[in-house]
Every structure is written in C-alpha cells, then in structure tokens.
Amino acid sequence: MTNTSTQTNTKQISFNDFKNEVLNDYKIARISRECSLLGRREVLTGKAKFGIFGDGKEVPQLALAKAFQNGDFRSGYYRDQTFMMAIGELDAQQFFAGLYAHTDITIEPMSAGRQMGGHFATHSINEDGSWKNLMQQKNSSADISPTAGQMPRLLGLAQASKIYKNVKGLEKHTKFSNQGKEVAWGTIGNASTSEGIFFETINAAGVMQVPMVMSVWDDEYGISVHAKYQTTKESISEILKGFQKENDTNGYEIFVVNGWDYVQLVDTYNKASQIAREKHIPVLIHVKELTQPQGHSTSGSHERYKSKERLQWEQDFDCIAKMREWILGFELEGANGETLKFVESEEELIAIDKNAKKEVSAAKRNAWNAFIGEIKNEVTEAASILDKIAAKSSNGTFITKLKNDLISIAEPIRKDVLSTARKALRYVKDENLNEKIELQNFIKSSIHDAYDKYSSHLISETEDSALNIPEVSPVYGENSEAVDARVIMRDNFDALLTKHPEVLVFGEDAGKIGDVNQGLEGLQEKHGELRVSDTGIREATILGQGIGMAMRGLRPIAEIQYLDYLLYALQIMSDDLATLRYRSYGKQKAPLIIRTRGHRLEGIWHSGSPMGGIIHNVRGIHVLVPRNMTKAAGFYNTLLQGDDPALIVECLNGYRLKEQLPSNLGEYTTPIGVVETIKEGTDITVVSYGSTLRLVEEAGKELAQVGINIEIVDAQSLLPFDINHDTVKSVAKTNRLLVVDEDVPGGASAYLLQEIVENQDAYQYLDSKPATLTAKAHRPAYGTDGDYFSKPSTEDIFEKIYEIMHEADPNRFKPLY
C-alpha cells in the first residue's frame, strides 16, 4: 500500500493517525473474534441457550463501519457484531449480556434479552416515546432471524432519504435527515440471497434508485449446503450483472471484493458510500472468500460437511490472519526517506491478542455475574420466606425440601424461583399464616415484574398510543350532501396530505389512477408522485417501504390492493412490523398504516376474509374493520395522531354506497378498540363487522317481522377488541349471543367468542348456548352464487337467530324445518 487515501471518508490523515486506526481496527477484530470463541463455549457449557456468531466476517465489517455515518441506518442479520463494536454501539460485556438474555435494557441494550445474541439495535426513542435525534447517532434497525427478512425494511430505510431530499415541507425534520444524504446499509449471508424477498427488494431498489448499499457476506455455505445448490453460477454478483447501471438506465453499481483484503475493502466501501450518498444509486457489494471458523451455529460442527482442504483454506484465508499478515509486512517510505511501519515486531500484535483475550474474559465474567447475581438475590429472598413458612407449617418438611432443592441449583433461572414458590403455596393453602401472605405477595410481585421483563411493549405504552386518542365525531351541516363513500375517503386523504407533509400513500395502482376504487382520485396530480405513488406488484416490499420510512419519522400509508394479497406480505408483517416495538423493548417504533380492502368478494383468490389467520399472526399491529368509509376515514385520522402500526380493511362493496359528507374531514376520529351498538334490542346480541354487518342489519329487519328484536354490535376493531367491555353489557341485557363472521370456522369468530364469553365473563349472563355463524371451510366459488352458498347470507343469519329463539321459546317460535 502506497497511500492513505483509503481511510475514513477518503480524508487525508497523518501516518501516525493511520497506524493507530489500523491497529485499533485489529484490536476490535480480535475482541470480536474472542467473543465468538468464548461465546460458543458458554453455550456448550449450558450458560447460554443458543449461539450464532460473526467470526470470519470481522474485516469487511470494519470497512463498512468506516463508511457508515451519523444518520445512516443498518438493516442486517445476526453476524454483524464486529460492525456494531466498530461504530461504538456494542461492547464485549453487552455481547455476553445478550448471550445470557439479561432482561435489563440498561445492561443488554439490544433487546433486554428478548432476542438471542447477535440481534442488534440502537435506540430511536426516548423514555417518553418521543423520537431521539437520529442524525446525531449511528442507527441499527432491530434485527430479525428469518432469513432475508431484513431486506424489505432496508428498502424503506433507503427510500426515506429520497423522500426527505425531494419532498417540500420536510425541511424542518432535521432529526431524521440532512437533505436525504443518509445511506441505508444492508447485510445478508450469501445463502439467504436465494430467498424471494431478496430479489424482490433488489429489483425494487433498482427501479426506485434509492441510497442503499447491500453487502453479501459470502462464505460459500448456507448452514451445510454449498453455494452450488444455492445460487446459479455459485455467485450472486454474476447473476445480478443485468442490474448493472448503464448510461441513461436505472440499476446498480456492483462491486466484488475479497473479504480478507482490508485495503480493498476500505476502498470499496468508501466508493460505495459516495455513490449511494451523493447520487442515490444503489450499490451491491459481493464480499467473497469469507470463512466461518466455528461453523454455522452452536447446533453443529462444520467438520461434518467441509472437506479437509476447505478447512485448511479457511485457516489460511481467515480474514484476521490475512489482516495480521498485511500489518506485519507493511512498509512505506516517508517524506524524509524513513521506513514507516505499523509495528516493529510481531510482539506488538501478540500483546494486542493477549489483551483482547483478557478483556473479553473479564467482560464475560462481569456479564455473567450481573446476570446470575440478580437471580440469586431472588433465590435468597424466596428461600428466606420458605424457611419462615416451614417453621410454622404442618407441611414444613416438604417446604424445606423445596427450598433445599432450589438453593442447590448452581445456576438458577427465574423459572426455578417462581415455580418453587408456587408449589410451596399449595402446601399451606389451608393454613392461616402471616408468612403465607408474604409468600403470596412474593409470587404476585414476581409475576408483575415478569410482565415488564418478558411481555411489555407489544403495543405503545406511551401517551402517544392510538388508544389514548379521544373520539371526535363527524360534523354535518344542514346542507351536507350524500356522496359516493369513496369521495369521503378521497377528500379525507387530501386533507391529511395537505396537513401533514410527512404523510405518503403508495401501492399498486395508488398513484396515477387514484387506486382501483378511486379513493385517491386526483391526489397524485395535486401532491406529487413521491407522496402519492404507484409501486410494482410486490407486496412484501411495499410493506418494507412502509416499515423503513416509518422508522425514520415519516408517516407512510402502504396500500395492499386486496386483503388476500396481504398473504404475500404476512411474514414481514408478523416477523418484523408486529414485533418491532416488543423485540426492541420499546426502543424502536414504526407507526405504519397498512391500507387494504376486502369482504364479500367473488372467487377463491378474492374472497377477502382470512381474518383469523391475520389477527393471530400480527399481534402488535392494530387490526381495524370499519363498516363504512366514514368510520374508515376516522381511523386514519386517529392513527396519524398515535404511534402504533395498524391494518385498516375497508369494505370493497362500500365505495359506491351513499354516505353523508362530513365537514371536518381530516379532523374527526374513530376510537380504536371501541365497539358501537348500531341497533338496540332485547332478545339476542349479534356481534359482527365489515360488510357482513349490513346483512345482519337486513336480517334484523326481517326478524322484527316475526317478533324477534336483535341488538347489533359493530366490533369495528379486532385488535384490540372492546377495551371498555361494552359487549358484555349487551349480553347481560339480552342473555344470548351470536357472532357472525365471513371468515372460516374457528377463525375470527372463535377469537371474538373467547373475548366476549371468557375475557369479559359473558358466560354468566347466558340463557342459551353462545353461537357463531361463519363461512364454509373452503373459499368461495366464483360469482354471486359462490358468495351466497359459501358465506353467511341474510337467510342464514335469520334462520340461525330464529333457531336460537326457538330453543328458548319453542311454543312462540315454531320450527322452520
């Protein structure tokens, strides 16, 4: 090497500074490697549950870190520990705290033990739920394990820079962007590039031309499977050559570099940073000839599937070993003719190696002592209580044995403590002891504390929670006109886009034609292509765009054309969006709004009601099912005042129905988690939602003709459902319950029945068996008859309710059949 131009951001520095930087990089690499080696041992000895480490990837991650600037975002995978150490967001003790799953966020800042080690995140949110200044820190979006699952989010993180650069009105959002100069950096293992969402994201970023740099760490294997079974031509850069940007085309700049070549890696990452940052051209960096010294994970040994020749090559081309060779062999002639070296002898590197071992060993010991110390304190407290109870209880011998078994556990976990206490309580259930109260309080306190450690932050617990937004009713003037309901949606979106420059709407057909139902008619022309935009047919990355942009302070509304198509993106919703706040212990958020339409569609592929599958997979996302467009528009207004993600399912067959046009568009709100009684009745409570609700209303009119007066409750919100427990009040009045739903049997109707009968204790008021009326188990055949014979019809609802009333009063309601 003959110059120092490859240093951070290509700035010229003195040789001494250059030397110190290189040796510091080597030190970080050695510390990271020692963490991997010692971490594996901690798993195999049982102190940690599972381990997956970044050994073999250290040097390219050092190079990435040099190009990474404040305001940038990483969206990576579980081998990037060296990068996190290099940017100053992870130290060795925190690494081991994550491995042990320490539940204190101040000690284990990545996830408070909620994710296995190797999953990294920085904190985007203050304690009160407000945004930190993301431009004053280096940012890592919270990792997920599903392979390639980080890709869609990466697209949105990059797109945010494009939006901040080009959309007027966002100039004051300086805590999120500096005129769009931030780069989103992705990392992935070479085998995971076989996943469809990798290609979907690569294609989308190439089309959109966003500042994204994608690093592929290539060690030739995916667990035990060689690249020849993973990738055509065994090379991701070869098969993506068609994406290479040419004159007057969109596309990528593509670099290929060896993962052990420190000099070329630093040079490559600086070039990539400059291209993406200044030109908003995406870059693919194929980092090849990497190794995996300990194999894929602690679940097995790579000696089982790698040849002796391959294993020897991995030793010879280990990236740290090659960096060490380069450091030892480096010589440069100085300005005065002197020979400049990084080290005078190998002893200097040996000293770094030894210090790294000592530092990591001490960090491991401190992390373990901090982790186990908390639990042993709980053991001591529990043992003291059990001793006092044993001294007075007639079952003292058994309680003492429980205590002795507990204190004999060398490395206890919290389960051991609480399980022992709860078993001991059984022995004194019939005894009246003051110590029994102390034990009960200990158990209750432990369970209460466990909520914060293991269950908190599924949804927002801040003052900005959407559940805290008060209801504001629509206002109607004397001359309010009845319009097609789509007009309410269109004009409400117009009001929101005008009021909030950070709001964007995008999806298939959402732009030029104003969506397939004209709910965005004319809004692209008025607000611009970046704020109301079309996308390709690629649902997973539409969701990813929304997640990434929401993580950077924008308020995206991602449109999935029909509810059925949501299944393409369900993995991203479930594994990434729904878990983000939870898995980061409330330190990151993505208040994305997902817009779609469904209910009462024709055909197998447009049946529109897989609600049970959705609500059971997306806990952490509000799922809202408004019965009309006025209610739907109110939900959008509510959500934009809150900080949680949500899915809104509009009624496809409701856009052309007439509704009164409110005068306070963009202002009125529909409360989340609140049911609405839309018809009072005395004989039976009927709960439904969406388009099926209209069939219930029609059946209600027909039932009234035979003397049956039903009360109709609109669920409105499935996640959460009825936080005020108003449904049980209706059941207490009518003493009967029917849930009507167009999902399959056991789907959303079963969920609602559990919520009402079990969680709201409605069982105690029932005089008849609670019932559900659902669609058939299959999807509907095409056409109106398919809908009629597959899903609940007005006649089905009439006859189901009549049957319940016949059972209650057979003399009054004679059997129909």
Side-chain angles (χ1 to χ4, degrees):
M1 182 172 181
T2 58
N3 63 71
T4 60
S5 63
T6 59
Q7 294 313 291
T8 307
N9 301 322
T10 67
K11 64 184 179 182
Q12 296 293 326
I13 60 176
S14 69
F15 176 77
N16 195 51
D17 288 341
F18 177 36
K19 168 185 171 180
N20 290 337
E21 187 173 334
V22 169
L23 294 180
N24 186 62
D25 280 351
Y26 180 78
K27 175 185 175 182
I28 293 171
R30 289 303 314 168
I31 289 172
S32 180
R33 177 64 62 87
E34 290 301 325
C35 284
S36 297
L37 297 174
L38 196 52
R40 180 179 178 85
R41 272 191 275 166
E42 291 298 277
V43 174
L44 297 181
T45 58
K47 285 186 176 179
K49 196 172 184 66
F50 181 76
I52 194 160
F53 306 109
D55 46 310
K57 316 298 188 292
E58 292 92 349
V59 174
Q61 291 179 28
L62 293 170
L64 191 162
K66 290 181 181 302
F68 199 94
Q69 298 181 15
N70 283 357
D72 287 358
F73 258 90
R74 166 190 167 273
S75 182
Y77 85 139
Y78 39 68
R79 298 197 190 277
D80 290 348
Q81 70 201 45
T82 309
F83 167 80
M84 294 298 291
M85 291 177 175
I87 66 170
E89 291 295 336
L90 177 72
D91 62 34
Q93 186 165 333
Q94 292 168 340
F95 172 90
F96 285 102
L99 193 65
Y100 302 139
H102 201 136
T103 56
D104 187 334
I105 191 67
T106 64
I107 294 174
E108 200 285 272
M110 302 301 142
S111 72
R114 295 183 174 188
Q115 296 216 93
M116 68 179 184
H119 291 67
F120 305 115
T122 52
H123 297 181
S124 300
I125 303 173
N126 294 307
E127 289 299 318
D128 63 358
S130 62
W131 289 102
K132 289 178 175 289
N133 189 328
L134 303 184
M135 292 302 299
Q136 294 179 354
Q137 62 184 46
K138 295 177 171 65
N139 303 287
S140 175
S141 58
D143 293 336
I144 58 176
S145 289
T147 53
Q150 70 272 29
M151 292 296 299
R153 175 201 333 140
L154 173 66
L155 178 66
L157 291 169
Q159 186 185 1
S161 292
K162 185 173 183 176
I163 297 300
Y164 281 119
K165 180 179 180 179
N166 295 290
V167 172
K168 293 182 179 179
L170 297 176
E171 297 82 5
K172 295 182 180 179
H173 289 55
T174 54
K175 65 169 60 175
F176 301 112
S177 181
N178 176 22
Q179 300 176 331
K181 296 177 182 178
E182 306 75 40
V183 174
W185 302 81
T187 65
I188 195 169
N190 60 299
S192 294
T193 64
S194 300
E195 294 280 9
I197 49 178
F198 171 83
F199 285 96
E200 186 174 320
T201 304
I202 290 293
N203 179 59
V207 170
M208 296 168 63
Q209 293 292 275
V210 292
M212 179 180 105
V213 180
M214 186 68 231
S215 296
V216 179
W217 308 141
D218 186 354
D219 56 34
E220 287 195 20
Y221 287 86
I223 308 182
S224 66
V225 181
H226 191 268
K228 65 184 177 182
Y229 301 111
Q230 305 277 1
T231 311
T232 303
K233 299 182 180 181
E234 298 183 32
S235 172
I236 191 64
S237 56
E238 282 294 312
I239 64 174
L240 292 180
K241 279 185 176 179
F243 284 83
Q244 176 66 53
K245 185 176 178 63
E246 299 172 348
N247 292 335
D248 302 322
T249 71
N250 54 23
Y252 279 73
E253 294 295 347
I254 300 176
F255 296 98
V256 181
V257 61
N258 291 327
W260 46 264
D261 192 332
Y262 176 84
V263 176
Q264 289 302 315
L265 284 163
V266 173
D267 186 54
T268 298
Y269 274 94
N270 279 322
K271 288 178 180 176
S273 175
Q274 186 176 13
I275 291 167
R277 201 177 303 281
E278 296 180 4
K279 300 179 180 179
H280 277 204
I281 296 172
V283 181
L284 175 80
I285 304 178
H286 181 189
V287 184
K288 62 189 183 109
E289 295 196 8
L290 285 170
T291 66
Q292 204 151 271
Q294 299 185 111
H296 174 75
S297 71
T298 54
S299 293
S301 169
H302 62 157
E303 286 83 1
R304 292 184 300 159
Y305 53 85
K306 290 178 181 175
S307 67
K308 291 181 179 178
E309 293 76 15
R310 172 67 191 190
L311 292 170
Q312 183 59 52
W313 181 90
E314 292 201 3
Q315 287 187 35
D316 295 340
F317 282 83
D318 182 285
C319 63
I320 298 180
K322 297 293 285 185
M323 184 181 183
R324 183 189 183 92
E325 287 178 16
W326 173 70
I327 291 173
L328 288 172
F330 182 90
E331 290 187 2
L332 177 67
E333 184 177 337
N336 299 319
E338 73 277 25
T339 299
L340 303 176
K341 297 180 180 181
F342 291 138
V343 294
E344 293 301 324
S345 72
E346 190 175 5
E347 294 302 316
E348 293 183 49
L349 295 184
I350 293 173
I352 293 175
D353 296 344
K354 289 181 177 179
N355 287 334
K357 285 179 178 291
K358 290 179 182 178
E359 182 177 331
V360 172
S361 181
K364 182 219 60 156
R365 186 166 55 252
N366 292 338
W368 176 251
N369 289 339
F371 170 74
I372 201 68
E374 287 185 6
I375 300 175
K376 286 190 172 181
N377 287 339
E378 294 170 21
V379 169
T380 300
E381 183 180 359
S384 175
I385 296 171
L386 295 181
D387 270 336
K388 288 186 282 186
I389 291 178
K392 294 186 178 181
S393 172
S394 59
N395 290 313
T397 302
F398 301 105
I399 296 171
T400 297
K401 183 181 185 306
L402 283 174
K403 184 219 52 174
N404 289 337
D405 288 344
L406 175 60
I407 63 176
S408 69
I409 301 173
E411 296 170 352
I413 58 176
R414 285 194 170 90
K415 172 190 172 184
D416 299 322
V417 183
L418 187 56
S419 175
T420 299
R422 294 166 84 175
K423 288 176 180 177
L425 184 62
R426 300 171 194 171
Y427 285 113
V428 292
K429 63 183 177 62
D430 298 323
E431 298 180 332
N432 187 18
L433 303 172
N434 289 332
E435 290 76 10
K436 173 182 173 181
I437 297 173
E438 187 178 359
L439 178 61
Q440 291 171 330
N441 289 337
F442 175 83
I443 293 170
K444 291 176 183 177
S445 177
S446 297
I447 293 173
H448 177 270
D449 292 345
Y451 171 83
D452 180 67
K453 291 180 174 70
Y454 305 106
S455 301
S456 60
H457 302 293
L458 178 62
I459 61 174
S460 176
E461 297 177 9
T462 74
E463 292 183 359
D464 293 327
S465 168
L467 302 184
N468 295 333
I469 307 303
E471 181 177 10
V472 176
S473 299
V475 174
Y476 301 98
E478 293 182 4
N479 299 319
S480 293
E481 59 178 323
V483 298
D484 286 349
R486 71 167 188 89
V487 173
I488 295 175
M489 295 301 299
R490 180 196 67 191
D491 291 358
N492 194 75
F493 279 131
D494 185 21
L496 294 176
L497 287 161
T498 301
K499 181 180 179 181
H500 304 288
E502 65 273 16
V503 169
L504 312 99
V505 187
F506 51 91
E508 299 155 6
D509 298 305
K512 188 170 184 179
I513 69 168
D515 87 39
V516 290
N517 298 103
Q518 300 291 279
L520 297 168
E521 180 190 22
L523 298 187
Q524 183 183 82
E525 183 177 359
K526 180 175 181 180
H527 297 282
E529 291 188 11
L530 287 174
R531 298 194 64 203
V532 183
S533 56
D534 289 309
T535 69
I537 300 175
R538 44 174 182 78
E539 288 77 12
T541 46
I542 291 173
L543 259 293
Q545 287 177 244
I547 295 170
M549 287 195 285
M551 293 185 75
R552 291 191 58 191
L554 297 170
R555 295 308 306 263
I557 300 173
E559 180 169 315
I560 302 298
Q561 196 163 85
Y562 297 113
L563 185 62
D564 303 78
Y565 299 168
L566 203 69
L567 299 182
Y568 285 96
L570 189 57
Q571 185 261 325
I572 299 302
M573 289 179 63
S574 179
D575 291 333
D576 196 355
L577 181 62
T579 67
L580 175 62
R581 192 185 290 268
Y582 171 79
R583 73 178 187 271
S584 66
Y585 192 76
K587 300 304 180 184
Q588 292 188 357
K589 63 181 177 181
L592 166 64
I593 301 173
I594 305 163
R595 181 192 184 205
T596 191
R597 50 193 65 80
H599 307 300
R600 313 307 301 197
L601 305 177
E602 285 80 27
I604 294 174
W605 312 121
H606 292 78
S607 53
S609 298
M611 297 305 301
I614 291 169
I615 61 176
H616 294 306
N617 277 286
V618 301
R619 301 299 169 95
I621 300 174
H622 299 316
V623 177
L624 311 176
V625 283
R627 68 179 181 271
N628 59 38
M629 300 307 153
T630 303
K631 290 288 185 179
F635 276 136
Y636 289 104
N637 300 340
T638 299
L639 290 165
L640 285 173
Q641 296 181 52
D643 64 351
D644 266 330
L647 167 68
I648 300 179
V649 184
E650 300 168 12
C651 296
L652 179 63
N653 57 10
Y655 293 105
R656 301 294 173 180
L657 299 179
K658 299 294 183 181
E659 295 182 35
Q660 295 296 118
L661 183 66
S663 60
N664 58 338
L665 292 168
E667 302 294 336
Y668 72 88
T669 58
T670 305
I672 293 174
V674 177
V675 301
E676 182 178 357
T677 301
I678 60 176
K679 178 187 177 300
E680 299 280 349
T682 56
D683 293 326
I684 186 172
T685 297
V686 183
V687 179
S688 189
Y689 61 89
S691 294
T692 302
L693 202 65
R694 289 197 286 274
L695 301 184
V696 174
E697 290 182 283
E698 184 179 338
K701 295 175 184 177
E702 296 174 2
L703 286 162
Q705 296 173 8
V706 296
I708 298 174
N709 184 12
I710 70 172
E711 181 149 304
I712 304 175
V713 176
D714 180 6
Q716 297 196 108
S717 172
L718 297 181
L719 290 179
F721 171 73
D722 193 7
I723 58 178
N724 298 324
H725 286 197
D726 289 325
T727 308
V728 69
K729 300 169 188 174
S730 173
V731 176
K733 179 173 66 172
T734 67
N735 307 120
R736 295 176 184 85
L737 173 65
L738 173 66
V739 178
V740 182
D741 177 49
E742 58 178 311
D743 194 9
V744 297
S749 59
Y751 159 76
L752 289 171
L753 200 64
Q754 182 191 27
E755 286 286 322
I756 299 165
V757 174
E758 182 178 335
N759 293 348
Q760 296 189 16
D761 292 333
Y763 70 90
Q764 60 188 316
Y765 301 111
L766 291 171
D767 291 337
S768 298
K769 181 178 70 173
T772 63
L773 179 61
T774 69
K776 299 292 192 296
H778 57 77
R779 297 186 186 187
Y782 175 67
T784 303
D785 277 343
D787 176 87
Y788 182 84
F789 288 102
S790 301
K791 294 189 174 186
S793 65
T794 303
E795 290 73 33
D796 292 331
I797 297 168
F798 180 99
E799 292 178 4
K800 183 68 174 181
I801 294 172
Y802 189 90
E803 178 187 348
I804 293 171
M805 297 308 298
H806 161 70
E807 183 183 39
D809 191 347
N811 292 325
R812 184 180 176 192
F813 301 107
K814 303 296 183 183
L816 291 175
Y817 297 99

